[in-house]
Amino acid sequence: MVTVNLGMLHYVLDHIYGAFMHRTKMSTPFFSRGWGGTKLEMLEKMINQLFPEVAGQNWPPRLIEPVWRTIWETKNASLREGVFRTPCDEQLLGALPPESHTARVAFLMPKSVSPNRMACVVHLAGTGDHTFERRLRLGGPLMKENIATMVLESPFYGQRRPVLQRGAKLLCVSDLLLLGRATIEEARSLLHWLDCEAGFGKMGICGLSMGGVHAAMVGSLHPTPVATLPFLSPHSAVVAFCEGILKHGTAWEALREDLATQKAEMTLEDVRERMRNVLSLTDVTRFPVPKSPSAVIFVAATDDGYIPKHSILELEKAWPGSEVRWVTGGHVSSFILHHDEFRRAIKDGLDRLPWKESQL
């Protein structure tokens, strides 16, 4: 009788998928054009300045005015798509590619009750998720629980992708920080719109993988309590690009050559140390505990080849009162097989929030 270690099988599947996606000549590596020069310096300074401010969490979201068109409508539900100018300040806007200046969202909403008796969750994109469909499929079944779904197209992705970028492979390290900072601004503005303009009774934010990192940051920085639901997410991009499988899909030599123009001798270890320093800016454990820690639910995979267990445990330790749930599988298999667990976490996180006062 042959015994198969399923955990190892899931872990190996992640590595096979990673090898195909990130080690073959078919695919351009991440950051093939280097660090991003003065853009990276500007972003490092801007994000470092953010941390003394976030302790008070008094950073108000900017107002947006989405323009909507209806994709389909039935007696029970509707799907609309909206566009709005990204709410980033002029400095960030100047660094973003022109293609990313206009944000796009899909909005799937049941009609069973009025918005003040309904919840809405903003779904953020994982690495390589260029379309709305995958996240609409995740959110669709939640309509029967009176939970609407809003899906944000990330900067640098889908119709917002720069013309020279291949797929999800960002050209410069600065693009990763730009993508994150712009996503956070846009998601916070969408939550504010759902609260103040659309009148929803509860709000949440979720995301898979990279989207989960951004969701955690948004949940931390938002001025009112929201359900915060990071799925299969590390505590920092350092884990993904310096420890996990994505390190094999990174253009280390191009990054070394870019740094060598500034300093004479640069080893690959020097380059990796620089990367760790830059990406430490994405460390969620540096962010304040969200307003409602009990409404924070992390869903992690037992045998994730992209994200080691220690990364999840650091999140739980940094945010006392939050919950970690484990699903059996790797990063890729859990992404495919555990949608029901993600939906359960969304529902449970929202159930732990009170309705807005108008409900009482």
Side-chain angles (χ1 to χ4, degrees):
M1 182 178 175
V2 179
T3 306
V4 178
N5 182 332
L6 273 180
M8 181 56 71
L9 198 62
H10 290 303
Y11 187 80
V12 168
L13 175 63
D14 279 353
H15 279 266
I16 292 169
Y17 177 82
F20 176 73
M21 290 299 291
H22 307 303
R23 291 194 188 189
T24 63
K25 298 289 185 192
M26 293 164 60
S27 181
T28 307
F30 284 96
F31 317 132
S32 58
R33 296 203 171 194
W35 298 90
T38 55
K39 277 188 188 180
L40 182 60
E41 292 166 19
M42 178 269 287
L43 284 158
E44 285 183 284
K45 186 177 178 183
M46 180 185 284
I47 294 169
N48 271 318
Q49 286 171 344
L50 175 68
F51 287 110
E53 296 172 21
V54 296
Q57 289 170 296
N58 292 321
W59 172 29
R62 291 168 180 253
L63 298 177
I64 54 169
E65 296 181 353
V67 176
W68 299 100
R69 66 185 181 97
T70 301
I71 304 302
W72 56 256
E73 187 164 12
T74 67
K75 69 177 192 295
N76 298 318
S78 67
L79 176 65
R80 293 187 290 163
E81 287 187 8
V83 293
F84 59 94
R85 181 178 166 82
T86 184
C88 295
D89 63 28
E90 289 306 312
Q91 197 176 21
L92 270 180
L93 200 63
L96 277 172
E99 296 92 338
S100 291
H101 286 193
T102 298
R104 292 177 66 240
V105 287
F107 191 15
L108 181 63
M109 184 173 167
K111 293 181 175 179
S112 45
V113 293
S114 61
N116 69 316
R117 297 179 57 80
M118 200 185 299
C120 186
V121 176
V122 177
H123 293 238
L124 302 181
T127 302
D129 190 355
H130 288 272
T131 67
F132 296 139
E133 280 69 27
R134 201 179 288 169
R135 286 170 283 161
L136 287 173
R137 282 201 301 274
L138 175 60
L142 290 167
M143 285 199 294
K144 65 180 182 291
E145 308 284 352
N146 293 327
I147 299 170
T149 292
M150 182 172 273
V151 179
L152 173 65
E153 182 180 69
S154 280
F156 294 90
Y157 277 28
Q159 292 184 24
R160 306 179 70 186
R161 186 176 69 196
V163 68
L164 295 176
Q165 180 183 303
R166 296 281 301 279
K169 300 301 175 64
L170 302 174
L171 295 171
C172 300
V173 176
S174 59
D175 292 346
L176 185 66
L177 298 184
L178 261 177
L179 186 160
R181 183 63 199 268
T183 296
I184 291 165
E185 294 275 7
E186 291 167 6
R188 292 176 75 248
S189 291
L190 285 169
L191 288 169
H192 184 66
W193 184 88
L194 288 166
D195 184 5
C196 299
E197 297 297 322
F200 278 85
K202 297 182 185 184
M203 276 76 61
I205 184 88
C206 76
L208 283 152
S209 197
M210 174 185 76
V213 176
H214 297 151
M217 293 173 177
V218 172
S220 164
L221 296 172
H222 201 65
T224 60
V226 293
T228 304
L229 307 149
F231 304 145
L232 311 177
S233 304
H235 75 283
S236 162
V238 172
V239 174
F241 287 97
C242 299
E243 296 178 34
I245 290 168
L246 292 183
K247 70 183 178 188
H248 303 299
T250 299
W252 295 109
E253 188 56 36
L255 292 168
R256 190 189 69 76
E257 288 172 9
D258 192 13
L259 276 184
T261 61
Q262 304 161 39
K263 300 175 185 176
E265 290 296 321
M266 294 299 296
T267 66
L268 281 177
E269 190 45 51
D270 291 332
V271 177
R272 289 193 168 99
E273 186 57 32
R274 170 74 175 126
M275 182 70 90
R276 278 190 281 269
N277 287 336
V278 170
L279 296 187
S280 69
L281 296 170
T282 67
D283 188 341
V284 174
T285 65
R286 295 177 66 184
F287 285 70
V289 179
K291 292 279 197 293
S292 182
S294 65
V296 179
I297 302 175
F298 301 100
V299 180
T302 53
D303 301 282
D304 195 319
Y306 285 76
I307 300 158
K309 280 186 182 177
H310 77 80
S311 186
I312 308 301
L313 300 176
E314 285 187 45
L315 285 165
E316 185 180 31
K317 183 181 175 184
W319 287 359
S322 63
E323 181 187 352
V324 174
R325 298 181 179 180
W326 295 92
V327 294
T328 302
H331 199 76
V332 176
S333 60
S334 297
F335 185 79
I336 296 165
L337 298 175
H338 290 301
H339 276 199
D340 283 346
E341 290 302 321
F342 301 146
R343 291 185 195 109
R344 188 170 294 118
I346 289 170
K347 183 178 183 304
D348 291 349
L350 289 166
D351 283 345
R352 294 173 188 180
L353 289 176
W355 289 99
K356 285 196 314 199
E357 286 182 13
S358 61
Q359 284 290 103
L360 300 176

